[in-house]
Amino acid sequence: MQHNHFSAQHCGLSVHHITVSYYKHMFQQNLITDQIIDYIFESFFRSEKRRCLLIREFKNEFVSEFEYWEKVSPRGYLSEDILRELDDVYTRSLNWSSLMRTIPTCGRKKVTTFIRSFLLDILEEELKMSSSDRAAAIRREEGLASVFSLQKNEIELLKYCIAIELDEYDFENSIASLGNSRRSSIKTASQITGLDQAEISYLMNSKNNLLKSGVLSQCSRSRNSLGVDVDESVLQFASGLEAVDSIMNSYIHIDRKKPLSLRSFTTKKEYSEIIKDILNCSGPANILLHGRAGTGKTEYARSLVRSVKKRPVFVTTRKSSSGRGSRQIALEAAINIVTENDVLIVDEADYLINSMGFFRTPHQDKGWINDLLDRSHVKMIWITNHTQNVEESHLRRFSFSLLFEGFGSAERKKIWKNIVGRGPLASIIDSEKIENYSNEYEVNAAGIASACEAASSIIKENIKKKKNVLTIIENILEQHEQLITGRPHKKERLFNIAAEYNVDYNNTSLPADDLVEPLSQIANFMRTKSDKEYNANILLYGIPGTGKTEFVKYLASQLKLKICLKRASDLLSPYVGETEMFINRAFREAEKSSQILFIDEADTFYKERSTNSRSWELSQTNELLSQMENFKGILICATNMKSLLDSAAIRRFNFKVQFNALKTDQYLPVYKDYFSKLTGLPKKRDLDKLMTISELTLGDYRAVANAYKFVAKKDITSAEIIGRLAQESNHRDNKKEKQVGFA
């Protein structure tokens, strides 16, 4: 593949000068073939002035020989044939082979000697014309040598490879005529550059600097028989398409953005102090920040570096000609560029350090990253969203690692306060709104920032829309939550407790007061972040509709705590290992935000392990059991199918509360609460029928009440209501227990 779009006028490394020098050296080393002369003619005799000069010099040298050639030529060559061939030069590029066919054998040696001498003079002229570019070219050579720590012999080989790839004056085709095998190509490279053949083979070894740095890459479909390609960014710099001083800017970005205060982040102060101490020490260091996207890792790194009076320098990303990501070459270059007062930040380093592919098979050379971590002489902060596929050999080379977890409501509240601050939204988004948004929208720092930024811009441009700014923010947050979580936003995770709810109507194995009293002390510990060990695991079980979920709301209201609700759809993932990660995250979120963790449909996760046929089902149950033991807070699990639960899981619940259907003496009081305003008290005949219904639940009453919410009062009778209650009871089949989750 030729790069003819790089013309001689842009020659950064003076590729023109280098190529002409190589041609001149090939003449001096007697490496010139007829094909090479053809290529030189094609390239150097495109101007009419130069063609006329050749014709004039040729006639002066050989016109007196024409008569002798005609006499001794067995084929009867005529001088007119030669002159006609020369005249054709005016209308086309001179072709050396065509001209030589008109010269008799007896004259070819002398003509060849003349042509070679003439071409050598032309090359000398070209070198003088391009010498003015040498100062800039030398600066580029020095820039490449500095950025990639290249020695003189490595620069010479790189220049040779660049000359081949940029292909000035058909240089690639010319040297191919000397032999196209790898061995002959190395021999040719040695003859042209003056480097020893063994040295060239050594320099092209993958363990040496040119390939290790990514400047050259081995490629089975390489553009030359040496089997290597030059990185595209190096080619662009070398060819002059980028400014002489731009090589550093190709690989690094010096951050000048004003950082946030470290107090703006939820990271523990002691962790920040450890990293600051590491950055202040002499010598190299590698620090890993990992966790969910949008949790502020990059902003934290920037603020952390600024806090120790150092300069954050980011590794940039470019695309190389070989199709690989250019992070490797950018990183190798950046390490050589930064100073002692810099900290190199490798953002979005997932591909670089996650060297294991699907099914834990390597998808890239792990040795390169280990070697770089070992030999780096600078301080580096690596940022990645995932570490599942990072080799253990990589991980143990990091001086310190810090996990950034998903935000709970407490973290979101802090971020809202920092972003809103005293800005244009401060008078619009009050503390109550911040509290509501923190609890309602499961978004990260980036989502909060983008919503506020967009809203600020809108009201700045159009003051009339200020009254609609909250709606705008809520719409942005809603869409961002769906983008991040992959599921539609739920306006309320749990509806408020029903107005008709009366805890006295619960028919439970344990009175509500027996739970509220011990849990109140734990709730105080949660609010004050006490160091004491505290834990409450509560299992609510029973047939559907008996009021388990409403009871959780009641407990939360009594304890003055919020509920962190997690259903199967929130925790289950089709990807192996991800469900366990979601479970872990749910417990940590509830603990950090001092909320009650409520897991509905608990039978999905606490399955009896003896019946689990799949390894991930066992793993999910084990993860839940492990988290229960270490959780500091209140966990409430609800299930309609206790029989499916693992026996070890049941033992771990401090409180096990069975919810039963209403007692018959509760039927009428509950009826009064739900329907007395609608139908009045039922007649005796209707009341008798009500008492014959088996296993009525609070859920049955609520379902019927919701069905009649928008029906006019005059159209409803107690007999009709009781008939609907009987139907609701009949719909419930207590004998069938359906399994929820993955089959």
Side-chain angles (χ1 to χ4, degrees):
M1 176 181 174
Q2 297 184 2
H3 290 266
N4 292 327
H5 53 285
F6 299 115
S7 68
Q9 282 74 18
H10 319 97
C11 293
L13 274 186
S14 193
V15 179
H16 171 75
H17 187 98
I18 294 170
T19 307
V20 174
S21 298
Y22 286 159
Y23 273 133
K24 178 185 174 182
H25 186 71
M26 290 163 69
F27 270 103
Q28 293 170 340
Q29 296 291 319
N30 198 28
L31 296 175
I32 298 298
T33 64
D34 287 349
Q35 284 178 295
I36 292 176
I37 292 177
D38 266 338
Y39 288 129
I40 294 175
F41 268 130
E42 179 70 26
S43 299
F44 288 93
F45 288 86
R46 291 172 182 170
S47 72
E48 185 176 333
K49 179 181 178 181
R50 192 163 278 176
R51 293 199 300 268
C52 288
L53 176 64
L54 172 65
I55 293 167
R56 185 173 65 249
E57 293 290 327
F58 188 90
K59 287 181 177 179
N60 289 341
E61 184 72 22
F62 295 108
V63 72
S64 60
E65 306 244 355
F66 286 176
E67 185 177 346
Y68 170 73
W69 289 351
E70 287 179 331
K71 289 179 180 179
V72 300
S73 173
R75 304 174 77 176
Y77 282 94
L78 300 176
S79 59
E80 286 80 4
D81 295 333
I82 299 172
L83 292 173
R84 188 182 305 109
E85 185 67 32
L86 291 173
D87 288 340
D88 285 345
V89 171
Y90 285 108
T91 58
R92 61 179 170 79
S93 298
L94 180 61
N95 184 283
W96 165 248
S97 302
S98 177
L99 176 63
M100 288 304 290
R101 281 196 297 271
T102 65
I103 307 295
T105 305
C106 62
R108 288 181 182 176
K109 183 176 180 180
K110 190 173 182 179
V111 170
T112 300
T113 302
F114 163 80
I115 289 294
R116 292 195 176 202
S117 175
F118 185 87
L119 291 180
L120 199 54
D121 290 341
I122 294 295
L123 294 174
E124 288 282 7
E125 181 185 335
E126 287 286 332
L127 286 176
K128 290 177 183 178
M129 292 171 59
S130 64
S131 62
S132 59
D133 300 328
R134 287 301 295 154
I138 291 171
R139 287 176 63 191
R140 287 181 184 272
E141 290 178 26
E142 291 173 346
L144 286 171
S146 172
V147 166
F148 297 107
S149 297
L150 301 178
Q151 303 300 316
K152 184 178 179 180
N153 55 354
E154 292 169 330
I155 285 288
E156 286 303 319
L157 181 59
L158 176 60
K159 285 161 61 177
Y160 181 77
C161 293
I162 288 172
I164 293 173
E165 294 228 17
L166 298 185
D167 201 18
E168 288 283 338
Y169 301 129
D170 284 323
F171 182 67
E172 182 182 3
N173 291 326
S174 296
I175 60 174
S177 69
L178 297 173
N180 209 23
S181 67
R182 180 174 172 82
R183 177 178 292 182
S184 61
S185 295
I186 292 176
K187 180 180 178 181
T188 300
S190 173
Q191 291 171 319
I192 293 176
T193 63
L195 299 172
D196 186 77
Q197 292 186 48
E199 186 176 20
I200 291 175
S201 297
Y202 174 78
L203 293 176
M204 291 195 301
N205 188 294
S206 61
K207 294 182 180 180
N208 290 312
N209 199 24
L210 280 170
L211 275 85
K212 188 165 62 176
S213 67
V215 172
L216 296 182
S217 59
Q218 291 176 331
C219 184
S220 58
R221 295 185 178 182
S222 170
R223 291 185 282 270
N224 59 75
S225 55
L226 286 175
V228 293
D229 285 343
V230 183
D231 183 81
E232 192 71 31
S233 60
V234 173
L235 280 178
Q236 290 182 5
F237 174 75
S239 64
L241 293 185
E242 294 185 3
V244 175
D245 299 323
S246 69
I247 186 66
M248 293 186 181
N249 296 330
S250 298
Y251 303 117
I252 65 168
H253 165 66
I254 299 172
D255 179 66
R256 293 183 173 85
K257 181 180 176 182
K258 185 178 179 181
L260 296 172
S261 167
L262 280 177
R263 294 192 300 272
S264 303
F265 301 93
T266 57
T267 307
K268 286 185 178 180
K269 185 179 179 181
E270 50 263 46
Y271 293 160
S272 297
E273 291 300 321
I274 292 173
I275 300 176
K276 287 164 68 174
D277 288 341
I278 293 173
L279 296 179
N280 278 322
C281 291
S282 59
N286 288 286
I287 295 162
L288 178 65
L289 307 181
H290 62 102
R292 294 181 69 181
T295 49
K297 299 185 292 296
T298 303
E299 288 296 331
Y300 176 75
R302 177 185 283 116
S303 300
L304 199 62
V305 174
R306 290 289 188 187
S307 71
V308 295
K309 310 298 183 189
K310 291 185 181 291
R311 187 172 65 165
V313 178
F314 285 83
V315 180
T316 59
T317 304
R318 304 186 62 164
K319 196 70 176 175
S320 74
S321 60
S322 62
R324 299 178 310 162
S326 65
R327 298 305 298 278
Q328 176 180 341
I329 186 171
L331 187 52
E332 292 277 3
I335 288 174
N336 294 320
I337 295 171
V338 296
T339 67
E340 290 183 1
N341 194 47
D342 297 330
V343 175
L344 196 58
I345 300 176
V346 190
D347 202 0
E348 299 177 358
D350 297 69
Y351 179 77
L352 285 173
I353 64 173
N354 280 268
S355 58
M356 296 298 292
F358 199 50
F359 296 123
R360 305 293 294 172
T361 55
H363 70 72
Q364 66 177 27
D365 179 15
K366 67 177 182 180
W368 169 78
I369 193 68
N370 283 343
D371 177 64
L372 182 136
L373 290 169
D374 287 339
R375 61 184 161 82
S376 169
H377 61 277
V378 302
K379 290 182 170 61
M380 303 173 67
I381 296 177
W382 301 71
I383 300 172
T384 180
N385 296 334
H386 306 286
T387 56
Q388 296 97 319
N389 293 324
V390 180
E391 288 274 0
E392 185 182 341
S393 60
H394 299 346
L395 294 175
R396 64 171 176 260
R397 284 172 164 83
F398 289 101
S399 310
F400 188 82
S401 62
L402 182 59
L403 172 64
F404 281 70
E405 297 182 286
F407 295 140
S409 59
E411 288 83 6
R412 287 194 289 268
K413 185 176 178 180
K414 189 172 183 179
I415 293 165
W416 272 106
K417 287 182 177 179
N418 287 330
I419 291 177
V420 172
R422 297 181 180 178
L425 298 177
S427 60
I428 301 172
I429 305 177
D430 56 22
S431 57
E432 184 180 351
K433 275 293 176 187
I434 288 177
E435 182 76 26
N436 292 339
Y437 288 163
S438 301
N439 290 318
E440 186 175 343
Y441 294 96
E442 294 184 6
V443 294
N444 52 33
I448 297 171
S450 61
C452 292
E453 185 177 343
S456 298
S457 300
I458 290 170
I459 62 175
K460 184 178 179 180
E461 295 292 329
N462 191 342
I463 195 66
K464 292 181 180 179
K465 292 195 174 183
K466 188 172 182 178
K467 61 181 180 180
N468 298 323
V469 71
L470 291 178
T471 304
I472 294 170
I473 290 173
E474 289 162 8
N475 286 331
I476 295 173
L477 292 171
E478 186 175 315
Q479 293 305 310
H480 189 82
E481 181 182 348
Q482 182 166 349
L483 177 67
I484 296 299
T485 64
R487 57 178 181 270
H489 170 71
K490 299 174 184 178
K491 284 291 182 185
E492 290 187 42
R493 307 296 289 174
L494 278 175
F495 287 106
N496 292 329
I497 192 167
E500 304 87 357
Y501 181 78
N502 186 336
V503 70
D504 294 333
Y505 292 153
N506 284 330
N507 183 14
T508 60
S509 59
L510 186 70
D513 291 343
D514 289 358
L515 269 179
V516 172
E517 185 176 348
L519 293 181
S520 296
Q521 189 171 357
I522 293 178
N524 289 331
F525 290 154
M526 291 169 63
R527 280 189 286 269
T528 59
K529 300 292 183 183
S530 171
D531 292 332
K532 294 183 179 181
E533 293 294 327
Y534 54 86
N535 173 272
N537 297 323
I538 304 164
L539 176 65
L540 310 181
Y541 65 96
I543 62 175
T546 48
K548 297 183 288 294
T549 302
E550 290 298 305
F551 183 68
V552 175
K553 298 177 191 176
Y554 168 78
L555 279 179
S557 66
Q558 294 298 302
L559 302 175
K560 296 181 174 55
L561 295 176
K562 295 187 180 300
I563 298 171
C564 177
L565 170 65
K566 298 296 178 183
R567 296 189 175 96
S569 58
D570 300 315
L571 300 176
L572 287 175
S573 169
Y575 301 108
V576 175
E578 200 164 78
T579 296
E580 291 86 334
M581 183 177 69
F582 289 161
I583 292 170
N584 179 293
R585 191 178 293 167
F587 276 88
R588 295 180 72 88
E589 177 186 340
E591 188 172 312
K592 287 167 65 177
S593 57
S594 300
Q595 295 181 341
I596 295 172
L597 177 58
F598 176 35
I599 299 180
D600 203 4
E601 306 163 352
D603 45 273
T604 303
F605 306 102
Y606 290 101
K607 294 177 182 176
E608 176 60 54
R609 284 175 288 183
S610 62
T611 64
N612 285 343
S613 59
R614 298 174 176 85
S615 60
W616 63 79
E617 292 176 333
L618 282 170
S619 180
Q620 291 167 16
T621 302
N622 290 336
E623 179 66 24
L624 268 167
L625 296 179
S626 175
Q627 291 297 332
M628 286 176 69
E629 290 185 349
N630 300 308
F631 180 53
K632 290 181 70 172
I634 299 173
L635 167 68
I636 302 178
C637 294
T639 178
N640 299 330
M641 294 170 279
K642 177 174 172 280
S643 60
L644 295 180
L645 267 59
D646 184 80
S647 55
I650 294 175
R651 286 197 303 271
R652 281 174 169 81
F653 287 101
N654 312 106
F655 300 94
K656 294 173 271 288
V657 184
Q658 182 176 9
F659 280 69
N660 301 301
L662 293 168
K663 299 174 183 177
T664 53
D665 60 5
Q666 293 175 310
Y667 284 9
L668 183 57
V670 176
Y671 185 96
K672 290 179 181 179
D673 285 350
Y674 277 90
F675 304 112
S676 60
K677 292 181 180 179
L678 204 63
T679 66
L681 292 177
K683 297 177 182 178
K684 185 177 183 307
R685 182 179 58 187
D686 297 331
L687 183 59
D688 291 341
K689 184 176 181 181
L690 176 64
M691 295 303 169
T692 62
I693 303 174
S694 64
E695 291 194 323
L696 265 179
T697 67
L698 288 170
D700 297 332
Y701 281 89
R702 190 172 184 182
V704 175
N706 287 336
Y708 284 97
K709 189 176 291 186
F710 302 105
V711 178
K713 181 180 177 181
K714 63 180 180 180
D715 297 329
I716 304 171
T717 65
S718 59
E720 184 179 348
I721 293 290
I722 292 169
R724 291 290 296 269
L725 287 172
Q727 290 176 10
E728 286 294 328
S729 177
N730 291 333
H731 286 318
R732 184 169 51 254
D733 185 353
N734 297 325
K735 295 178 183 179
K736 260 189 177 179
E737 292 189 344
K738 297 180 181 178
Q739 187 172 340
V740 180
F742 292 110

